[in-house]
Amino acid sequence: VGDGVNDGPALAVADIGVAMGEGAALAMEMSDVTLMDSKLDKLLFSIKMGTKVIMTVQENIAFSVAAKVIVITLTFGGKMTLLGAIASDVGVMLLVSINGMKLLPKNQKMDLDLISIPGKIV
């Protein structure tokens, strides 16, 4: 972790270099990750979010491959129709999308005062 000109070489040879956004441009250029402010909490959040993203992607791939194997097996067994294969593919796509949505922020509140509705005074 660095923010100055003298940190540039260390950030370049580090496995993962982290620069502070308020620091020198050389440190930001040499780092792998640049935090836009000096809050190190964001680094921990990024690591945790990256782990969640990787796990979600692996879950989605495993579920999709398993569903495809089942459909292929049923097709070769003569039990699957084209409509069934399409329906299962769409179903898997929807489930994978919903599973990916668990990564979205949960604590966003919509400010209704800022929403403009055409033709209405809010």
Side-chain angles (χ1 to χ4, degrees):
V1 176
D3 64 351
V5 174
N6 60 341
D7 296 324
L11 291 171
V13 298
D15 290 334
I16 299 175
V18 179
M20 302 296 190
E22 297 173 355
L26 178 65
M28 289 188 287
E29 184 69 29
M30 290 293 157
S31 67
D32 299 312
V33 177
T34 300
L35 300 176
M36 297 311 292
D37 54 15
S38 296
K39 296 180 182 174
L40 287 176
D41 295 342
K42 291 184 178 181
L43 179 61
L44 182 60
F45 172 77
S46 298
I47 292 170
K48 287 181 180 179
M49 180 58 84
T51 304
K52 288 179 184 178
V53 167
I54 289 171
M55 290 299 296
T56 302
V57 168
Q58 289 174 345
E59 289 170 0
N60 289 343
I61 290 172
F63 181 69
S64 296
V65 169
K68 297 293 182 187
V69 167
I70 291 170
V71 169
I72 290 171
T73 304
L74 290 173
T75 301
F76 285 133
K79 302 292 184 186
M80 181 62 69
T81 63
L82 179 61
L83 183 61
I86 292 170
S88 69
D89 192 46
V90 171
V92 167
M93 184 263 317
L94 290 173
L95 289 174
V96 164
S97 297
I98 291 170
N99 190 34
M101 290 175 68
K102 71 181 179 185
L103 298 171
L104 293 174
K106 293 173 181 53
N107 57 357
Q108 282 187 340
K109 294 182 180 177
M110 188 184 309
D111 190 6
L112 296 177
D113 295 335
L114 299 177
I115 298 174
S116 64
I117 301 172
K120 302 230 179 194
I121 297 174
V122 179

Short mmCIF file of all heavy atoms in Angstrom, two decimals, residues 8 15 33 36 38-39 44 53 56 58 62 78 90 92 112 116-117 121:
data_model
loop_
_atom_site.label_atom_id
_atom_site.label_comp_id
_atom_site.label_asym_id
_atom_site.label_seq_id
_atom_site.Cartn_x
_atom_site.Cartn_y
_atom_site.Cartn_z
N GLY A 8 6.32 3.85 -5.83
CA GLY A 8 6.11 3.31 -7.17
C GLY A 8 6.85 2.02 -7.45
O GLY A 8 6.25 1.02 -7.89
N ASP A 15 3.04 -8.38 -5.33
CA ASP A 15 2.05 -9.28 -5.92
C ASP A 15 0.78 -8.51 -6.26
O ASP A 15 0.22 -8.65 -7.34
CB ASP A 15 1.73 -10.43 -4.96
CG ASP A 15 2.91 -11.38 -4.83
OD1 ASP A 15 3.71 -11.46 -5.77
OD2 ASP A 15 3.00 -12.05 -3.78
N VAL A 33 -4.39 -1.89 -7.93
CA VAL A 33 -5.67 -1.38 -7.44
C VAL A 33 -5.44 0.04 -6.95
O VAL A 33 -4.46 0.32 -6.26
CB VAL A 33 -6.20 -2.24 -6.26
CG1 VAL A 33 -7.49 -1.68 -5.70
CG2 VAL A 33 -6.38 -3.68 -6.70
N MET A 36 -9.91 5.41 -4.57
CA MET A 36 -10.12 6.80 -4.94
C MET A 36 -10.02 7.75 -3.76
O MET A 36 -9.93 8.95 -3.94
CB MET A 36 -11.48 6.97 -5.63
CG MET A 36 -11.56 6.19 -6.93
SD MET A 36 -10.16 6.45 -8.05
CE MET A 36 -10.41 8.14 -8.52
N SER A 38 -8.69 7.81 0.77
CA SER A 38 -7.76 7.18 1.72
C SER A 38 -8.44 6.25 2.71
O SER A 38 -7.91 5.99 3.78
CB SER A 38 -6.99 8.27 2.48
OG SER A 38 -6.21 9.00 1.58
N LYS A 39 -9.61 5.73 2.38
CA LYS A 39 -10.32 4.83 3.28
C LYS A 39 -9.93 3.39 2.98
O LYS A 39 -10.30 2.84 1.95
CB LYS A 39 -11.82 5.02 3.13
CG LYS A 39 -12.31 6.39 3.52
CD LYS A 39 -13.80 6.50 3.34
CE LYS A 39 -14.26 7.90 3.69
NZ LYS A 39 -15.68 8.10 3.39
N LEU A 44 -10.89 -3.71 2.03
CA LEU A 44 -11.47 -4.92 2.63
C LEU A 44 -12.80 -5.26 1.97
O LEU A 44 -13.08 -6.42 1.67
CB LEU A 44 -11.65 -4.73 4.13
CG LEU A 44 -12.19 -5.92 4.91
CD1 LEU A 44 -11.25 -7.11 4.78
CD2 LEU A 44 -12.39 -5.55 6.36
N VAL A 53 -18.19 -12.59 -5.65
CA VAL A 53 -18.41 -12.65 -7.10
C VAL A 53 -17.86 -13.95 -7.67
O VAL A 53 -18.53 -14.62 -8.47
CB VAL A 53 -17.75 -11.43 -7.80
CG1 VAL A 53 -17.69 -11.62 -9.30
CG2 VAL A 53 -18.51 -10.16 -7.47
N THR A 56 -20.17 -16.78 -6.72
CA THR A 56 -21.43 -16.73 -7.47
C THR A 56 -21.23 -17.20 -8.90
O THR A 56 -22.05 -17.95 -9.44
CB THR A 56 -22.01 -15.31 -7.44
OG1 THR A 56 -22.22 -14.92 -6.08
CG2 THR A 56 -23.33 -15.23 -8.18
N GLN A 58 -18.92 -19.29 -9.95
CA GLN A 58 -18.71 -20.73 -9.91
C GLN A 58 -20.03 -21.48 -9.70
O GLN A 58 -20.26 -22.53 -10.32
CB GLN A 58 -17.72 -21.09 -8.81
CG GLN A 58 -16.30 -20.67 -9.14
CD GLN A 58 -15.34 -20.90 -7.99
OE1 GLN A 58 -15.74 -21.11 -6.85
NE2 GLN A 58 -14.05 -20.83 -8.29
N ALA A 62 -21.56 -24.09 -12.46
CA ALA A 62 -21.86 -25.47 -12.06
C ALA A 62 -23.33 -25.81 -12.31
O ALA A 62 -23.65 -26.89 -12.84
CB ALA A 62 -21.50 -25.69 -10.60
N GLY A 78 -34.22 -40.01 -25.50
CA GLY A 78 -35.48 -39.87 -26.21
C GLY A 78 -36.60 -39.29 -25.37
O GLY A 78 -37.76 -39.35 -25.75
N VAL A 90 -34.15 -21.49 -20.86
CA VAL A 90 -34.65 -20.20 -20.38
C VAL A 90 -34.77 -20.21 -18.86
O VAL A 90 -34.42 -19.23 -18.20
CB VAL A 90 -36.00 -19.87 -21.05
CG1 VAL A 90 -36.65 -18.66 -20.41
CG2 VAL A 90 -35.81 -19.63 -22.54
N VAL A 92 -32.98 -21.97 -16.73
CA VAL A 92 -31.62 -21.89 -16.17
C VAL A 92 -31.10 -20.48 -16.27
O VAL A 92 -30.49 -19.95 -15.33
CB VAL A 92 -30.69 -22.90 -16.87
CG1 VAL A 92 -29.23 -22.63 -16.52
CG2 VAL A 92 -31.05 -24.31 -16.47
N LEU A 112 -38.18 9.33 -3.05
CA LEU A 112 -39.34 9.59 -3.91
C LEU A 112 -39.48 11.07 -4.24
O LEU A 112 -40.16 11.42 -5.19
CB LEU A 112 -40.61 9.07 -3.25
CG LEU A 112 -40.66 7.55 -3.06
CD1 LEU A 112 -41.94 7.15 -2.33
CD2 LEU A 112 -40.57 6.84 -4.38
N SER A 116 -39.36 12.52 -10.86
CA SER A 116 -40.32 13.38 -11.55
C SER A 116 -41.22 12.51 -12.41
O SER A 116 -40.75 11.66 -13.16
CB SER A 116 -39.58 14.40 -12.41
OG SER A 116 -38.87 13.75 -13.42
N ILE A 117 -42.49 12.74 -12.28
CA ILE A 117 -43.49 12.01 -13.07
C ILE A 117 -44.04 13.00 -14.06
O ILE A 117 -44.56 14.06 -13.69
CB ILE A 117 -44.60 11.44 -12.17
CG1 ILE A 117 -43.98 10.50 -11.13
CG2 ILE A 117 -45.65 10.74 -13.00
CD1 ILE A 117 -44.95 10.05 -10.08
N ILE A 121 -47.33 16.96 -10.51
CA ILE A 121 -46.50 17.77 -9.62
C ILE A 121 -46.22 16.93 -8.39
O ILE A 121 -47.14 16.46 -7.72
CB ILE A 121 -47.23 19.07 -9.24
CG1 ILE A 121 -47.48 19.91 -10.48
CG2 ILE A 121 -46.41 19.84 -8.21
CD1 ILE A 121 -48.31 21.13 -10.23
#
